mmCIF file of all heavy atoms in Angstrom:
data_model
loop_
_atom_site.group_PDB
_atom_site.id
_atom_site.type_symbol
_atom_site.label_atom_id
_atom_site.label_comp_id
_atom_site.label_asym_id
_atom_site.label_seq_id
_atom_site.Cartn_x
_atom_site.Cartn_y
_atom_site.Cartn_z
ATOM 1 N N GLU A 72 222.777 -32.439 145.164
ATOM 2 C CA GLU A 72 221.702 -33.421 145.221
ATOM 3 C C GLU A 72 220.512 -32.926 146.058
ATOM 4 O O GLU A 72 219.428 -33.534 146.023
ATOM 5 C CB GLU A 72 222.212 -34.754 145.792
ATOM 6 C CG GLU A 72 222.762 -34.686 147.206
ATOM 7 C CD GLU A 72 224.264 -34.438 147.270
ATOM 8 O OE1 GLU A 72 224.798 -33.835 146.328
ATOM 9 O OE2 GLU A 72 224.862 -34.863 148.265
ATOM 10 N N CYS A 73 220.698 -31.816 146.795
ATOM 11 C CA CYS A 73 219.618 -31.271 147.625
ATOM 12 C C CYS A 73 218.982 -30.020 147.017
ATOM 13 O O CYS A 73 217.997 -29.498 147.555
ATOM 14 C CB CYS A 73 220.144 -30.929 149.027
ATOM 15 S SG CYS A 73 220.774 -32.345 149.948
ATOM 16 N N LEU A 74 219.554 -29.517 145.941
ATOM 17 C CA LEU A 74 219.085 -28.260 145.365
ATOM 18 C C LEU A 74 217.603 -28.306 144.980
ATOM 19 O O LEU A 74 216.831 -27.407 145.321
ATOM 20 C CB LEU A 74 219.923 -27.882 144.141
ATOM 21 C CG LEU A 74 221.233 -27.127 144.409
ATOM 22 C CD1 LEU A 74 222.033 -26.999 143.117
ATOM 23 C CD2 LEU A 74 220.965 -25.753 145.007
ATOM 24 N N ASP A 75 217.198 -29.345 144.261
ATOM 25 C CA ASP A 75 215.808 -29.423 143.802
ATOM 26 C C ASP A 75 214.844 -29.519 144.982
ATOM 27 O O ASP A 75 213.769 -28.896 144.975
ATOM 28 C CB ASP A 75 215.625 -30.621 142.877
ATOM 29 C CG ASP A 75 216.306 -30.428 141.526
ATOM 30 O OD1 ASP A 75 216.671 -29.272 141.221
ATOM 31 O OD2 ASP A 75 216.494 -31.421 140.803
ATOM 32 N N SER A 76 215.233 -30.287 146.005
ATOM 33 C CA SER A 76 214.373 -30.460 147.169
ATOM 34 C C SER A 76 214.192 -29.142 147.923
ATOM 35 O O SER A 76 213.050 -28.736 148.218
ATOM 36 C CB SER A 76 214.983 -31.509 148.108
ATOM 37 O OG SER A 76 214.248 -31.592 149.314
ATOM 38 N N ILE A 77 215.288 -28.432 148.222
ATOM 39 C CA ILE A 77 215.205 -27.171 148.960
ATOM 40 C C ILE A 77 214.519 -26.091 148.125
ATOM 41 O O ILE A 77 213.687 -25.331 148.624
ATOM 42 C CB ILE A 77 216.612 -26.693 149.394
ATOM 43 C CG1 ILE A 77 217.224 -27.683 150.392
ATOM 44 C CG2 ILE A 77 216.554 -25.305 150.008
ATOM 45 C CD1 ILE A 77 216.453 -27.817 151.680
ATOM 46 N N HIS A 78 214.839 -26.049 146.841
ATOM 47 C CA HIS A 78 214.206 -25.059 145.979
ATOM 48 C C HIS A 78 212.700 -25.298 145.910
ATOM 49 O O HIS A 78 211.906 -24.344 145.906
ATOM 50 C CB HIS A 78 214.820 -25.099 144.577
ATOM 51 C CG HIS A 78 214.467 -23.917 143.733
ATOM 52 N ND1 HIS A 78 213.318 -23.865 142.971
ATOM 53 C CD2 HIS A 78 215.101 -22.726 143.543
ATOM 54 C CE1 HIS A 78 213.265 -22.703 142.336
ATOM 55 N NE2 HIS A 78 214.320 -21.994 142.672
ATOM 56 N N GLY A 79 212.291 -26.563 145.889
ATOM 57 C CA GLY A 79 210.869 -26.878 145.869
ATOM 58 C C GLY A 79 210.168 -26.408 147.129
ATOM 59 O O GLY A 79 209.043 -25.886 147.072
ATOM 60 N N ILE A 80 210.834 -26.538 148.266
ATOM 61 C CA ILE A 80 210.262 -26.066 149.535
ATOM 62 C C ILE A 80 210.095 -24.551 149.511
ATOM 63 O O ILE A 80 209.060 -24.013 149.907
ATOM 64 C CB ILE A 80 211.173 -26.475 150.716
ATOM 65 C CG1 ILE A 80 211.128 -27.991 150.917
ATOM 66 C CG2 ILE A 80 210.775 -25.742 151.995
ATOM 67 C CD1 ILE A 80 212.172 -28.504 151.892
ATOM 68 N N LEU A 81 211.113 -23.858 149.016
ATOM 69 C CA LEU A 81 211.116 -22.399 149.047
ATOM 70 C C LEU A 81 210.219 -21.769 147.986
ATOM 71 O O LEU A 81 210.090 -20.543 147.942
ATOM 72 C CB LEU A 81 212.552 -21.880 148.902
ATOM 73 C CG LEU A 81 213.522 -22.331 150.005
ATOM 74 C CD1 LEU A 81 214.933 -21.829 149.718
ATOM 75 C CD2 LEU A 81 213.063 -21.861 151.370
ATOM 76 N N ARG A 82 209.608 -22.580 147.137
ATOM 77 C CA ARG A 82 208.693 -22.051 146.127
ATOM 78 C C ARG A 82 207.362 -21.609 146.740
ATOM 79 O O ARG A 82 206.539 -20.992 146.066
ATOM 80 C CB ARG A 82 208.429 -23.090 145.024
ATOM 81 C CG ARG A 82 209.642 -23.442 144.174
ATOM 82 C CD ARG A 82 209.199 -24.119 142.879
ATOM 83 N NE ARG A 82 208.415 -23.193 142.079
ATOM 84 C CZ ARG A 82 208.942 -22.240 141.315
ATOM 85 N NH1 ARG A 82 210.243 -22.099 141.243
ATOM 86 N NH2 ARG A 82 208.158 -21.431 140.632
ATOM 87 N N CYS A 83 207.177 -21.933 148.007
ATOM 88 C CA CYS A 83 205.959 -21.492 148.722
ATOM 89 C C CYS A 83 204.673 -21.963 148.044
ATOM 90 O O CYS A 83 203.685 -21.222 147.952
ATOM 91 C CB CYS A 83 205.941 -19.970 148.876
ATOM 92 S SG CYS A 83 207.372 -19.306 149.737
ATOM 93 N N GLY A 84 204.704 -23.190 147.547
ATOM 94 C CA GLY A 84 203.487 -23.779 147.010
ATOM 95 C C GLY A 84 203.203 -23.511 145.552
ATOM 96 O O GLY A 84 202.173 -23.949 145.037
ATOM 97 N N THR A 85 204.085 -22.811 144.849
ATOM 98 C CA THR A 85 203.844 -22.539 143.425
ATOM 99 C C THR A 85 204.498 -23.619 142.560
ATOM 100 O O THR A 85 205.432 -24.291 142.977
ATOM 101 C CB THR A 85 204.408 -21.172 143.012
ATOM 102 O OG1 THR A 85 205.825 -21.169 143.218
ATOM 103 C CG2 THR A 85 203.775 -20.071 143.813
ATOM 104 N N LYS A 86 204.011 -23.728 141.328
ATOM 105 C CA LYS A 86 204.573 -24.686 140.388
ATOM 106 C C LYS A 86 205.734 -24.064 139.621
ATOM 107 O O LYS A 86 205.912 -22.851 139.604
ATOM 108 C CB LYS A 86 203.482 -25.146 139.405
ATOM 109 C CG LYS A 86 202.315 -25.867 140.075
ATOM 110 C CD LYS A 86 201.252 -26.247 139.044
ATOM 111 C CE LYS A 86 200.082 -26.951 139.720
ATOM 112 N NZ LYS A 86 199.017 -27.322 138.734
ATOM 113 N N GLU A 87 206.532 -24.923 138.985
ATOM 114 C CA GLU A 87 207.615 -24.435 138.121
ATOM 115 C C GLU A 87 207.038 -23.541 137.037
ATOM 116 O O GLU A 87 205.978 -23.815 136.476
ATOM 117 C CB GLU A 87 208.356 -25.606 137.466
ATOM 118 C CG GLU A 87 209.188 -26.441 138.422
ATOM 119 C CD GLU A 87 210.431 -25.730 138.885
ATOM 120 O OE1 GLU A 87 210.859 -24.760 138.218
ATOM 121 O OE2 GLU A 87 210.987 -26.119 139.931
ATOM 122 N N GLY A 88 207.754 -22.451 136.726
ATOM 123 C CA GLY A 88 207.300 -21.537 135.691
ATOM 124 C C GLY A 88 206.558 -20.339 136.226
ATOM 125 O O GLY A 88 206.159 -19.463 135.467
ATOM 126 N N THR A 89 206.345 -20.296 137.552
ATOM 127 C CA THR A 89 205.695 -19.140 138.165
ATOM 128 C C THR A 89 206.626 -18.537 139.212
ATOM 129 O O THR A 89 207.615 -19.151 139.615
ATOM 130 C CB THR A 89 204.365 -19.543 138.838
ATOM 131 O OG1 THR A 89 204.630 -20.580 139.799
ATOM 132 C CG2 THR A 89 203.366 -20.035 137.829
#
Side-chain angles (χ1 to χ4, degrees):
E72 61 268 27
C73 298
L74 275 172
D75 289 345
S76 174
I77 295 297
H78 194 273
I80 291 170
L81 300 177
R82 294 197 64 80
C83 302
T85 61
K86 298 178 181 179
E87 290 288 341
T89 57

